[in-house]
Amino acid sequence: MASGVSVCIDIERKAFGHDVLMDGLHLFVPESEVVALVGPSGVGKSTILRMIAGLDADFDGMLRIGGKPQAEAQVPGYVFQDPRLLPWATATENLTIISDNIDAPGARKLLVEMGLAGYEDALPGELSGGMQRRVALARALAVKPGLLILDEPFVSIDRKLARDLSGLIARVIRTYRPTVILVTHDPEDAARLADRVVVLDGRPVEVVEDRRLGVARDLRDETWVREEAQRMVGEE
Amino acid sequence: MKARRGPPSAVGRLEWLSLPLLILLWEVAALVVDHRLFPTPVEVFREVIHLATERRLIPDVLKTLSRAAAAFVIAMALGIVLGGLTGRFRAIDRLFGSWVLIGLNIPAIVVAITCYIWLGLTETALILAVVINKTPLVTVTMREGVRNLDHGFNELAQVYRIPFWRRVRRIVIPQLMPYVLTAARTGLSLIWKIVLVFEVLGSDGGVGFRIGIFFQSFDIAAILAYTTSFMAVVFFIEYAIMRPLERKVLGWRPAFRSA
């Protein structure tokens, strides 16, 4: 796994027709930092992720990942809001199809690491929602990413599954040390996982709060997470 | 959770009852009508044996099959390409949309007669006429398939920069296979019918040609013998080719997993 890469976001202007979404948005994420972007729905959090991933190139400005322009940078690991697994391919194939960096034994090992032992040859339709999310996370890791993009990874799953997945993501961060940009609408998720929280709001969007979380991730307990989440809600 | 429509073994048994039930109904109807123009299945089966031993039936069936196969392959290939282009590029769809509409609705007999007049009563004319009739249907089916490609998977391929041919092979084709198989299945049923009609109109052999001759003498047993033989071929294609192929390429779909 590559170590984390820096991400430099300099967006001068991003508009949908006459609707100006961004007008001067600047954000720097150093190597191996976990940044949570929080803010109300429709503020443009997912749009920023799509721009970083190369899915939306229709903007004025510059994006550099690991010091390189987006198109030349290493492929990021992207966990979409929905698992987006190929339903005709097994869990293992879902990993090997997307990357030359991993072979079938490597993919199986990664799936076992994600807690999917015994399900390596299962089709997505045979897996539960939580398992599908784990496969999607394994797929993102299969490209050995320096940058891991998590777009609402806990949306549409129940609290228990979300907590399990959150624990798994924390383990991934600890083990592989990628740079992570996490978009979430739940401040508790941000408080649980992030080193730094960036609160976005307004139209055009602006950074209303950019704060490092003081306590190391492994030392955060649920009381601290709830209190920190409450503070974020107050800031939003 | 897997969707199940009922116990698979019971469904399977019902399917095997289907054909015997039809033959039984035919037998009963023939016995009730009791007329020389409505032979029983047994009489038709005897006629099949008779025609086969005369060495006419099998060459005729093979001739029709070869024509249908040629027309099928050409129409599928053309339809897949045209459907892909019209589904992917709006400009091409707009430009050729009327052609497809005409192709879908022009009477088959008109196409056949025109081809026979222009090209003579030749094998080429017959196959071309079938291809012209069948291709628009494949085109429309494939166009829908391309239009329904999941944009999310396209984004997935884009983010992970999956090479073009791998994207086509592992992401696009599996999504199109249900449409290809639908086009193939409806195409086969249409092509049998058209080929036979065109063979009646003008050809030097084949099931349709022979049925045309039997029609002149009202030899209903022979007509049904040829039809039955041809149906046997259709059943063979359905159970030996189409269904295993469907299970292989669509086995991931819930409906197939629970069947």
Side-chain angles (χ1 to χ4, degrees):
Chain A
M1 178 78 58
S3 57
V5 293
S6 63
V7 180
C8 182
I9 302 167
D10 274 313
I11 298 162
E12 298 306 331
R13 185 181 160 85
K14 166 70 187 170
F16 293 110
H18 296 295
D19 182 16
V20 179
L21 185 66
M22 296 167 203
D23 189 10
L25 183 74
H26 308 286
L27 201 62
F28 180 77
V29 184
E31 293 170 8
S32 298
E33 188 172 67
V34 180
V35 174
L37 304 181
V38 295
S41 292
V43 79
K45 305 184 296 288
S46 290
T47 304
I48 294 172
L49 296 193
R50 293 174 61 80
M51 291 156 92
I52 296 170
L55 289 174
D56 188 343
D58 185 20
F59 64 92
D60 296 331
M62 194 180 61
L63 272 164
R64 295 186 84 81
I65 300 168
K68 295 178 182 171
Q70 195 280 333
E72 297 167 23
Q74 189 206 0
V75 174
Y78 198 122
V79 177
F80 295 89
Q81 283 187 20
D82 56 312
R84 212 168 288 193
L85 302 176
L86 304 174
W88 48 86
T90 64
T92 302
E93 288 169 341
N94 263 284
L95 271 61
T96 54
I97 285 171
I98 59 117
S99 176
D100 290 329
N101 285 340
I102 197 162
D103 55 10
R108 287 171 168 276
K109 195 174 158 212
L110 196 50
L111 288 167
V112 171
E113 207 180 311
M114 295 295 116
L116 291 165
Y119 293 95
E120 298 92 331
D121 296 318
L123 292 166
E126 296 165 339
L127 299 174
S128 69
M131 287 171 162
Q132 290 184 22
R133 303 267 173 169
R134 285 164 184 263
V135 177
L137 181 60
R139 179 177 62 191
L141 297 174
V143 295
K144 300 180 171 58
L147 169 63
L148 183 60
I149 298 170
L150 306 173
D151 188 2
E152 299 272 17
F154 312 113
V155 78
S156 307
I157 52 176
D158 64 44
R159 278 315 296 171
K160 188 190 176 307
L161 277 179
R163 290 289 295 279
D164 290 349
L165 192 59
S166 178
L168 184 62
I169 291 171
R171 189 148 52 85
V172 163
I173 293 169
R174 194 166 51 240
T175 308
Y176 297 108
R177 302 293 302 150
T179 303
V180 178
I181 301 181
L182 161 72
V183 157
T184 178
H185 68 278
D186 186 343
E188 283 195 19
D189 294 331
R192 202 170 282 120
L193 289 170
D195 299 318
R196 176 181 161 202
V197 173
V198 174
V199 182
L200 302 168
D201 204 356
R203 201 76 158 189
V205 66
E206 56 184 39
V207 176
V208 295
E209 182 73 31
D210 185 346
R211 186 160 53 85
R212 290 194 66 77
L213 301 184
V215 179
R217 196 167 17 253
D218 292 345
L219 300 177
R220 295 171 191 171
D221 59 21
E222 283 307 302
T223 310
W224 185 88
V225 165
R226 272 194 295 275
E227 285 171 3
E228 192 59 38
Q230 282 298 323
R231 264 195 292 278
M232 283 181 225
V233 172
E235 282 154 9
E236 276 184 49
Chain B
M1 187 177 292
K2 293 179 183 179
R4 286 193 171 273
R5 294 187 216 162
S9 55
V11 174
R13 278 197 294 274
L14 277 178
E15 189 171 10
W16 288 111
L17 276 177
S18 174
L19 204 53
L21 185 66
L22 181 66
I23 293 169
L24 182 68
L25 278 175
W26 177 4
E27 178 75 37
V28 170
L31 290 174
V32 170
V33 173
D34 191 22
H35 192 278
R36 70 174 184 85
L37 290 181
F38 197 159
T40 64
V42 175
E43 287 166 339
V44 171
F45 183 70
R46 278 200 205 105
E47 187 65 17
V48 169
I49 304 289
H50 168 69
L51 290 168
T53 49
E54 270 191 340
R55 298 187 182 178
R56 273 192 297 173
L57 179 69
I58 292 168
D60 280 333
V61 170
L62 287 177
K63 189 163 239 172
T64 298
L65 268 179
S66 65
R67 286 167 176 156
F72 175 78
V73 169
I74 297 168
M76 284 299 289
L78 274 174
I80 287 171
V81 171
L82 292 173
L85 290 172
T86 51
R88 177 71 183 78
F89 303 105
R90 187 180 286 266
I92 295 178
D93 186 34
R94 290 286 162 87
L95 190 60
F96 295 108
S98 301
W99 296 26
V100 174
L101 193 64
I102 290 169
L104 279 173
N105 292 288
I106 198 166
I109 200 84
V110 173
V111 177
I113 288 170
T114 308
C115 286
Y116 280 147
I117 290 171
W118 284 347
L119 301 173
L121 292 174
T122 62
E123 205 74 4
T124 309
L126 193 153
I127 291 171
L128 179 66
V130 179
V131 168
I132 291 171
N133 272 290
K134 168 63 190 160
T135 303
L137 199 61
V138 182
T139 303
V140 169
T141 308
M142 292 311 300
R143 182 175 65 187
E144 282 311 299
V146 172
R147 282 177 179 169
N148 285 329
L149 285 175
D150 191 322
H151 184 61
F153 294 144
N154 191 33
E155 286 188 345
L156 176 78
Q158 205 179 330
V159 166
Y160 289 106
R161 297 180 202 156
I162 299 174
F164 177 76
W165 285 114
R166 191 188 302 165
R167 198 183 294 201
V168 169
R169 202 163 46 85
R170 304 301 301 269
I171 297 180
V172 175
I173 290 177
Q175 291 182 78
L176 292 179
M177 280 317 289
Y179 295 91
V180 172
L181 288 176
T182 301
R185 193 184 288 279
T186 55
L188 276 173
S189 62
L190 183 70
I191 282 175
W192 302 137
K193 292 166 189 166
I194 298 176
V195 167
L196 258 66
V197 171
F198 292 1
E199 282 179 345
V200 174
L201 266 183
S203 71
D204 59 351
V207 174
F209 168 79
R210 203 65 65 189
I211 285 174
I213 291 173
F214 292 137
F215 170 60
Q216 287 163 23
S217 56
F218 275 35
D219 188 348
I220 190 73
I223 289 171
L224 290 179
Y226 263 75
T227 309
T228 306
S229 307
F230 205 68
M231 283 303 111
V233 173
V234 169
F235 268 84
F236 173 79
I237 290 169
E238 173 68 20
Y239 286 96
I241 299 172
M242 292 304 291
R243 295 217 180 177
L245 189 65
E246 270 181 345
R247 271 196 296 275
K248 186 171 167 54
V249 299
L250 303 180
W252 55 272
R253 299 179 106 191
F256 278 87
R257 287 210 313 275
S258 61

